[in-house]
Amino acid sequence: MIQKLKFSPPSYTDLEEKAVSECIKNSWTGSGPKLKEFERKFSKYKGLPYSAGFSSCTSAIFLALKALGLKEGDEIITTAMTFCSTVNCIIHCGAKPVLCDIDPLTKNIDPNDIVKKITSETKAIIPVHYAGYPCEMDAIMEIARNNNIYVVEDCAHAIEAKYKNQHCGTFGEIGCFSFYATKNIAIGEGGMAISNSQKFISEMSNLGLHGLSRDAWKRFESSAKKSYDVTKIGYKMNLTDIQAAIGIVQLSRINDMRERRKEIWDYYNKELQNTSLSLPYNCESKDNVHAMHLYTVGLPSYINRDELVWKASNEFGITFGVHYNSVPSFTAYKNIFDQIDPLTDYPISWEWGLKTISLSLSAAVSDHDCERIVKCLKKLIK
């Protein structure tokens, strides 16, 4: 029987297990002191003063839009090459998503297309640092300033990423990060928002925990004298201490884990450079840092992507990811983008969405795993 390889499994050590055990022994597993510690350490790592943990990056983006006051009738620009959650957050706020095409090399949102899509109703831009490579933030921020609109950075792939030696997530009003099971910091589920604005982070924290006026764990402290108020009609999107405890350990290991992912990245590049695959763009410099979250390749036109993914899984035990189908291709958005022809309006993202697959990339992937993955892929594209 073929041993199946998981896609980008998380890298855990005894330290993560010990951190979880300590939370359980302390009998505090909800949002508490470990969360506050994780927030402080993540803020220090990113170099911004304010942060708040949430149940997911999706929650963080949604709450960021709410905290900025975005509402029905507003238009929010984002990329057509992103996970559905980016667009869903816009829709859940009642706003209208406006999609842009991507740069053919980096697969990031094209600033030139942003300019074309801006109207008097445009209130925000959500750039997505695709696969961990930073967007052209100078151009995006200039567009935002010239049009008096907000920028919320979707940094789900980009914890370590830097643009011109500045951390991604620190350019706009709010930066949002993911700690999902396959991410560069993996805690199962979870997210974080960072900002220079205490007002925005406080508003997000308030909305993310039912609209309560005080943190839940403080309500149960023996020294607490006052009750709490419900100041907003909020949501349940908080991060727990168990998740935060794992996050603290993962953050302390982040450089070592990226170094291992770089070794894997370089191996894939070397082994696949003379094939018919389109390899991922990575023009790193001393100023630009790629977070190396996804190793995405483009399949040649003669390959049926769905058939290849099925064969890889069932005949070779290899799991490939798809990141992503172009947003307009999904059934749920047909009515929202019904006046748009994706073949002419988003030709680059549409084509990439049909042919891209992602290879397993995490610090837990062994050299033997990499050899199996490359051997499988080479055989399937012949």
Side-chain angles (χ1 to χ4, degrees):
M1 185 176 179
I2 299 174
Q3 180 189 3
K4 288 221 172 189
L5 298 183
K6 296 179 181 178
F7 179 79
S8 297
S11 171
Y12 292 144
T13 67
D14 292 343
L15 295 175
E16 283 88 352
E17 184 177 349
K18 181 180 178 183
V20 172
S21 296
E22 287 177 354
C23 282
I24 295 172
K25 289 176 182 177
N26 292 336
S27 299
W28 192 275
T29 56
S31 298
K34 282 295 179 183
L35 173 56
K36 296 303 177 186
E37 181 184 351
F38 187 28
E39 291 170 344
R40 287 194 302 271
K41 288 183 175 179
F42 195 80
S43 282
K44 183 177 180 181
Y45 173 73
K46 299 299 289 187
L48 283 188
Y50 306 108
S51 64
F54 298 102
S55 55
S56 64
C57 184
T58 304
S59 300
I61 294 172
F62 171 74
L63 292 171
L65 299 181
K66 297 293 285 186
L68 293 172
L70 299 172
K71 58 189 185 305
E72 186 174 355
D74 293 340
E75 293 180 358
I76 301 176
I77 293 174
T78 193
T79 170
M81 182 49 55
T82 185
F83 189 49
C84 61
S85 63
T86 313
V87 174
N88 290 350
C89 290
I90 297 171
I91 296 169
H92 284 312
C93 283
K96 176 184 177 182
V98 176
L99 301 181
C100 288
D101 208 356
I102 58 174
D103 179 272
L105 284 177
T106 68
K107 310 303 184 294
N108 280 327
I109 191 168
D110 183 353
N112 294 319
D113 205 23
I114 294 176
V115 173
K116 296 176 184 177
K117 300 294 174 64
I118 287 179
T119 72
S120 59
E121 303 304 319
T122 305
K123 298 298 187 294
I125 305 169
I126 305 179
V128 179
H129 303 287
Y130 178 81
Y133 190 76
C135 293
E136 290 293 328
M137 293 310 299
D138 279 352
I140 291 171
M141 294 309 299
E142 183 178 2
I143 294 168
R145 286 190 296 269
N146 291 343
N147 293 275
N148 194 31
I149 54 183
Y150 294 121
V151 173
V152 175
E153 294 177 68
D154 184 336
C155 303
H157 300 172
I159 294 173
E160 306 98 322
K162 292 181 181 179
Y163 175 79
K164 293 189 175 179
N165 212 31
Q166 181 177 338
H167 270 288
C168 290
T170 65
F171 290 88
E173 277 68 33
I174 301 168
C176 301
F177 299 82
S178 175
F179 307 132
Y180 178 66
T182 60
K183 294 299 191 291
N184 295 0
I185 288 179
I187 65 175
E189 292 281 1
M192 187 81 75
I194 60 174
S195 180
N196 261 318
S197 169
Q198 185 178 22
K199 174 186 174 184
F200 292 148
I201 293 299
S202 294
E203 178 75 359
M204 291 174 67
S205 295
N206 179 238
L207 287 172
L209 191 59
H210 303 296
L212 299 182
S213 59
R214 306 173 71 241
D215 293 321
W217 68 286
K218 290 182 179 178
R219 290 186 289 130
F220 297 101
E221 282 186 323
S222 59
S223 59
K225 301 294 183 183
K226 297 179 180 178
S227 182
Y228 62 91
D229 189 16
V230 179
T231 60
K232 299 281 175 62
I233 300 175
Y235 309 89
K236 187 69 167 67
M237 297 179 172
N238 57 301
L239 191 68
T240 70
D241 264 27
I242 286 182
Q243 294 164 308
I246 301 172
I248 291 167
V249 176
Q250 290 267 290
L251 184 59
S252 72
R253 299 177 55 223
I254 194 166
N255 292 332
D256 290 340
M257 290 192 291
R258 183 186 180 278
E259 189 58 35
R260 173 56 187 161
R261 292 199 310 277
K262 187 178 186 305
E263 290 175 359
I264 297 169
W265 184 289
D266 291 343
Y267 174 80
Y268 287 154
N269 277 346
K270 178 183 175 183
E271 295 296 319
L272 300 174
Q273 63 180 336
N274 295 320
T275 67
S276 57
L277 297 167
S278 300
L279 301 188
Y281 178 77
N282 177 22
C283 187
E284 281 204 306
S285 67
K286 65 178 182 179
D287 296 329
N288 280 13
V289 176
H290 196 314
M292 295 185 175
H293 170 58
L294 294 174
Y295 189 92
T296 55
V297 301
L299 298 171
S301 58
Y302 59 84
I303 296 292
N304 180 300
R305 197 254 312 275
D306 291 344
E307 183 178 326
L308 180 142
V309 170
W310 187 91
K311 282 186 175 181
S313 177
N314 290 278
E315 296 180 14
F316 294 86
I318 304 298
T319 303
F320 291 121
V322 175
H323 301 94
Y324 301 98
N325 292 317
S326 186
V327 168
S329 69
F330 293 109
T331 301
Y333 308 114
K334 296 295 185 185
N335 293 333
I336 296 172
F337 304 113
D338 60 348
Q339 301 298 316
I340 293 169
D341 181 359
L343 294 177
T344 56
D345 288 289
Y346 322 110
I348 302 170
S349 64
W350 185 266
E351 180 187 3
W352 183 248
L354 293 175
K355 70 179 185 180
T356 184
I357 60 170
S358 302
L359 281 58
S360 193
L361 181 67
S362 81
V365 178
S366 70
D367 290 347
H368 178 65
D369 295 340
C370 293
E371 291 168 5
R372 281 185 59 187
I373 290 165
V374 167
K375 184 178 180 180
C376 164
L377 188 54
K378 283 183 174 179
K379 184 168 288 189
L380 290 175
I381 62 174
K382 280 186 178 180

